[in-house]
């Protein structure tokens, strides 16, 4: 009985195990079936696509047209990519050759145009030079062999170039000898006149033996009270080319002269004080600095001359002591002048710094002036003095060439 029950149990246990072991076989079979038959998937996708297509409301010819357009666009896109990738190598050579040819032509054209422009500019400049007329000057020359004097006459000028805004000029003439320029003369200013008559004579004391190495310079300037005087033109006469055996009189065309840089002559500090009730003007010469070297040793022996004048006439003159061997002298010397209140606007104070010379004449280093007709610093200093009665007003003044200040002093205010 025990053996029979064991056998029954064994059967019961084995019966459920059989379907469990056999169950995987169909799964394995299905997997193998799907691997070995991919056409089933294609058919499935085709059926799905046709079903979706059947649901669309578009007719079949419209769908075919869309497909054709899409294919054409894709073809064009592929063609463009092909053209860019493969056609790039051949194109640059031709392009470079064309560009190089264009550049050469452009350069050649620019070169020819530049040459033409250059030639035209040169011709234009030459024409302008030919057409530019500065005017002409008449002068006379004579030599006094007895007194060893060169006599220069400035007679007149004609057709001078207009330098002012109104189409006129205020001409005057500077006369000097090169190369030393020790002595300079100048004519009076002729107001608003392009054909001025001067008729002035100047004398240079110079031995005849030394005259051959000199050059006489006649420079015509346009006077300007408010700025630097403009040169209209000049005449240069080498003295070794002139026969001084007899007097000569000649017209010469003016030539454009080289602009000279303003020579630095130094500065002077001056104090002015005016007491209206007493009619007393006090001028204090305080100091000077950076004066021009006048002596051989590179120094100077400066002193200052003060002139009070009215209408070109000297009323009174005074001078400081001489300071030996210095370019930066300190004076601090005061001088008083009697000037009534009604005359204070009509007078001029002219300051000249000289280099003292024992053997010869004293040479002027530079000059400045204040008062009637003054401009710039001179005018401002004089105005400050009048605006502050009884109080000393100090001011630095830049020294100017003697002939320039003399011309400004003589000229009438505009």
């Amino acid at each position: 009985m025990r053996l029979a029950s064991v056998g029954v149990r064994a059967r019961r246990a084995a019966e459920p195990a059989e379907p469990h072991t056999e169950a995987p076989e169909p799964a394995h079979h299905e997997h193998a079936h799907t691997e070995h038959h991919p056409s089933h998937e294609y058919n499935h996708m085709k059926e799905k696509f046709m079903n979706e297509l059947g649901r669309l409301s578009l007719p079949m010819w419209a769908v075919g047209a869309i497909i054709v357009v899409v294919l054409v666009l894709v073809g064009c896109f592929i063609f463009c990519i092909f053209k860019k990738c493969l056609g790039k190598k051949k194109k640059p050579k031709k392009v470079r050759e064309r560009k190089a040819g264009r550049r050469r032509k452009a350069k050649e054209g620019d070169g020819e145009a530049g040459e033409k422009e250059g030639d035209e500019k040169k011709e234009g400049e030459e024409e302008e030079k030919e057409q530019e007329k500065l005017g002409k000057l008449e002068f006379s020359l004579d030599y006094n062999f007895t007194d060893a004097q060169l006599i220069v006459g400035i007679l007149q000028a004609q057709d001078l170039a207009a330098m002012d805004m109104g189409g006129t000029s205020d001409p005057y003439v500077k006369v000097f000898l090169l190369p030393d320029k020790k002595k300079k003369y100048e004519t009076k200013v002729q107001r608003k006149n392009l054909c001025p008559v001067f008729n002035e004579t100047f004398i240079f004391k110079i031995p005849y033996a030394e005259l051959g190495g000199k050059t006489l310079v006649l420079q015509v300037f346009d006077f300007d009270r408010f700025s630097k005087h403009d040169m209209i033109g000049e005449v240069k006469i080498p003295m070794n080319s002139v026969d001084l055996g007899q007097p000569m009189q000649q017209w010469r065309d003016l030539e454009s002269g080289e602009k000279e840089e303003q020579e630095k002559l130094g500065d002077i500090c001056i104090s002015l004080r005016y007491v209206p009730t007493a009619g007393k003007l006090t001028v204090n010469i305080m100091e000077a600095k950076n004066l021009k070297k006048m002596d051989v040793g590179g120094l100077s022996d400066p002193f200052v001359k003060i002139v009070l004048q009215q209408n070109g006439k000297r009323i009174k003159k005074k001078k400081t002591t001489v300071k030996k061997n210095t370019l930066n002298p300190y004076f601090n010397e005061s001088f008083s002048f009697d000037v009534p209140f009604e005359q204070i606007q009509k007078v001029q104070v002219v300051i000249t710094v000289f280099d003292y010379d024992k053997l010869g004449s004293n040479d002027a280093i530079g000059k400045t002036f204040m008062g009637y007709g003054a401009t710039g610093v001179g005018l401002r200093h004089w105005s400050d003095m009048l605006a502050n009665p009884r109080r000393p007003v100090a001011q630095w003044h830049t020294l100017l060439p003697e002939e320039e200040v003399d011309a400004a002093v003589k000229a009438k205010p505009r």
Side-chain angles (χ1 to χ4, degrees), residues 224-278:
D224 195 333
R225 289 190 62 232
F226 301 102
S227 62
K228 191 177 178 181
H229 302 169
D230 299 318
M231 185 190 293
I232 298 174
E234 67 178 8
V235 174
K236 287 185 177 180
I237 307 151
M239 297 311 297
N240 57 10
S241 66
V242 179
D243 180 13
L244 293 173
Q246 55 185 2
M248 63 165 286
Q249 187 171 322
Q250 194 176 49
W251 281 97
R252 285 274 188 98
D253 289 329
L254 295 176
E255 297 177 356
S256 57
E258 296 177 359
K259 292 182 180 179
E260 298 180 14
E261 290 186 4
Q262 185 72 49
E263 188 179 19
K264 292 182 179 179
L265 304 175
D267 303 281
I268 185 168
C269 187
I270 304 164
S271 173
L272 298 177
R273 179 174 178 265
Y274 183 65
V275 182
T277 54

Side-chain angles (χ1 to χ4, degrees), residues 82-96:
F82 175 80
K83 201 71 169 158
K84 281 186 179 179
C85 294
L86 299 180
K88 237 180 186 179
K89 294 179 182 178
K90 295 180 182 179
K91 193 174 181 180
K93 291 182 181 178
K94 293 180 181 179
V95 172
R96 284 172 193 164

Side-chain angles (χ1 to χ4, degrees), residues 272-335:
L272 298 177
R273 179 174 178 265
Y274 183 65
V275 182
T277 54
K280 188 177 180 181
L281 173 66
T282 303
V283 180
N284 185 350
I285 305 300
M286 301 179 73
E287 61 179 313
K289 64 180 181 181
N290 304 323
L291 295 179
K292 181 185 174 183
K293 301 171 185 177
M294 301 295 285
D295 297 340
V296 178
L299 294 172
S300 295
D301 301 323
F303 71 94
V304 181
K305 185 178 178 180
I306 306 101
V307 175
L308 179 71
Q309 65 183 36
Q310 183 179 352
N311 296 327
K313 295 179 181 179
R314 292 182 182 179
I315 300 172
K316 206 167 187 181
K317 63 178 180 179
K318 296 185 179 182
K319 62 181 180 180
T320 67
T321 56
V322 178
K323 303 297 179 181
K324 294 283 188 179
N325 299 323
T326 179
L327 299 178
N328 300 284
Y330 181 78
F331 298 100
N332 196 25
E333 299 181 32
S334 294
F335 306 93

